[in-house]
Amino acid sequence: MRLIGIVIHPGFQLLDVAGPAAAFELAEHYQPGSYRLDMLAPGGGEVESSSGMRLSARPLSDSGPLDTAIISGGEIIRSMAAAQEIVAWLRQAKPRRTASVCTGAYLLAEAGLLDGRAATTHWWSTDDFARRYPTVKLDAERIFIQDGGVWTSAGISAGIDLALALIEDDLGPAIARRTAQQLVVHQRRPGGQSQFSGLVELGGRSGRFVELIEWMRTKLAETLTVERLAERAAMSPRNFARAFTAETGTTPAKAVERLRLEAARMAVETSNASLDRIAEESGFGDAGRMRRAFLRSFGQPPQALRRAAARK
C-alpha cells in the first residue's frame, strides 16, 4: 500500500488535484491494495481553490510517512504563509518520490529540491521561473519530467499524465493503460511531448502573431523561411525573429516544426494515409525526416503512435 499525499493550499487549481486523484483511485480499483490517498494542507480544514470550491484536508504536520507527495499548483501567492509552510515541510519530509503539478514546481524549487535537476512547469510561467531559479534545468517543452525521485509536470491537465507515469512506474504499463482508458484520456502522452497548447498556439503573449500562425497552418507543405514569415508579418527578418521569439518563447523555425508535428500527428492517428504522403503534406518532405522529428519530440515513431491510437 502506497500512501499518496496531495498537498493543497489557498488558491490551488482544482484539476491539479482532481486529475491525479482520479487516476490513483482507478489504479487502486484495478489492483486493490496499491494506493491510499491523503489530502493535506497547512493547518488542515477546508481550503478554497482558485475556483471558489473547497476541499477538506488534514494538517500537513500530521502527514506521517508518505510514499509520494504531490504538490498542487494554482495561485500560490494567495497565502505566502501557507506556501512557506509547504516549503519548510518539503525540506524535512522524505517521501520516496516528490512531485509537482503546474506551478507547484515553484514550491519544490524554493525548497531546493530542483537545484541542478531537470524540471518543467506551466508554459506561461517559464520565463519567470527561469529567472528566479537559474540552477534548475528548466525544459519548458516537456509534459512531465522525472529526475531521480523528483517529478514535475506542465500545466493543469498534465497532472493526469504525471499520475499515469507514476502509476506505470509502480504497477507497470498494463494498469496505467487501463487507467488511461477509464479516464477517457486520448492517450498516455510520453513525457517528451511538447506542450502544444502554449504560446505559439495563442499567437504569442499579446496575440500579436495570431493571423500569422493561422496562415502558417495553411502553408505547412511549403518552404517557410524566416524571410518569408517576416514578409508576411510586414517586418524585417531580424526584427521579426527577435519579436516572435520574445512573444512565443520559441524561434520561428521551431514553431514551424511544432505546427508540422501537430498536423502530422493528427493525420497519423486519425487517417489511413501513408506516412510518405503525411510527411509531404505536413512539410517534412519524406517519412524519414518526419520519423526523426517524432522521436525527438514524442519519444515514439509515427507507426507506434498510429498503433496506439488504433487500440483506443
Side-chain angles (χ1 to χ4, degrees):
M1 177 70 72
R2 302 166 183 82
L3 180 58
I4 310 295
I6 300 179
V7 180
I8 60 177
H9 47 80
F12 72 93
Q13 166 55 239
L14 195 60
L15 189 56
D16 286 3
V17 174
F24 287 113
E25 173 197 354
L26 290 168
E28 166 65 18
H29 171 76
Y30 289 125
Q31 191 159 314
S34 296
Y35 296 113
R36 182 165 66 86
L37 297 177
D38 199 5
M39 198 71 63
L40 302 166
E46 286 196 349
V47 183
E48 185 175 88
S49 71
S50 58
S51 69
M53 296 182 67
R54 295 171 177 267
L55 292 181
S56 295
R58 296 196 312 113
L60 194 58
S61 56
D62 294 347
S63 61
L66 297 175
D67 176 84
T68 304
I70 300 177
I71 314 301
S72 63
E75 298 172 2
I76 294 172
I77 61 173
R78 183 181 292 193
S79 173
M80 293 308 298
Q84 290 166 4
E85 184 174 336
I86 294 172
V87 169
W89 178 82
L90 283 169
R91 286 174 177 156
Q92 57 83 31
K94 301 296 180 181
R96 181 172 67 91
R97 298 179 300 204
T98 303
S100 65
V101 181
C102 195
T103 53
Y106 278 80
L107 299 177
L108 269 60
E110 280 292 324
L113 299 185
L114 298 182
D115 289 349
R117 294 184 185 271
T120 192
T121 188
H122 194 291
W123 59 263
W124 188 259
S125 303
T126 52
D127 288 347
D128 177 70
F129 190 96
R131 284 193 299 269
R132 289 175 183 268
Y133 308 109
T135 63
V136 179
K137 300 172 184 176
L138 184 67
D139 188 344
E141 291 292 303
R142 301 282 291 277
I143 291 291
F144 65 83
I145 292 178
Q146 176 194 6
D147 191 331
V150 180
W151 302 59
T152 53
S153 79
I156 308 178
S157 65
I160 298 175
D161 298 277
L162 172 70
L164 289 168
L166 293 170
I167 291 166
E168 182 168 342
D169 187 53
D170 292 335
L171 308 179
I175 297 296
R177 183 166 54 251
R178 292 180 69 187
T179 300
Q181 290 169 341
Q182 190 66 23
L183 286 167
V184 199
V185 175
H186 177 61
Q187 63 185 10
R188 290 186 296 109
R189 298 176 288 185
Q193 181 169 335
S194 296
Q195 297 188 53
F196 276 130
S197 299
L199 288 176
V200 171
E201 306 303 303
L202 299 177
R205 287 179 170 81
S206 67
R208 178 180 181 180
F209 295 110
V210 168
E211 187 276 335
L212 177 65
I213 296 295
E214 291 305 312
W215 178 82
M216 290 162 64
R217 290 183 192 278
T218 69
K219 305 293 183 181
L220 293 178
E222 301 177 16
T223 301
L224 295 175
T225 62
V226 169
E227 289 75 18
R228 187 178 181 193
L229 297 177
E231 182 181 4
R232 178 71 184 185
M235 301 172 69
S236 72
R238 183 177 180 181
N239 286 339
F240 167 74
R242 184 186 301 116
F244 188 91
T245 302
E247 278 281 315
T248 66
T250 192
T251 65
K254 288 183 178 179
V256 169
E257 182 175 74
R258 182 177 301 179
L259 294 174
R260 284 176 170 153
L261 280 165
E262 182 186 58
R265 180 167 187 163
M266 179 66 71
V268 164
E269 294 182 334
T270 63
S271 78
N272 295 319
S274 70
L275 296 184
D276 285 326
R277 178 181 173 186
I278 292 172
E280 182 178 353
E281 291 181 349
S282 58
F284 285 106
D286 61 74
R289 183 182 173 196
M290 183 174 74
R291 184 179 189 277
R292 291 190 293 273
F294 269 55
L295 288 171
R296 189 166 56 247
S297 295
F298 305 135
Q300 300 180 69
Q303 298 93 326
L305 293 174
R306 174 166 278 179
R307 287 194 297 268
R311 290 196 296 267
K312 296 297 183 181

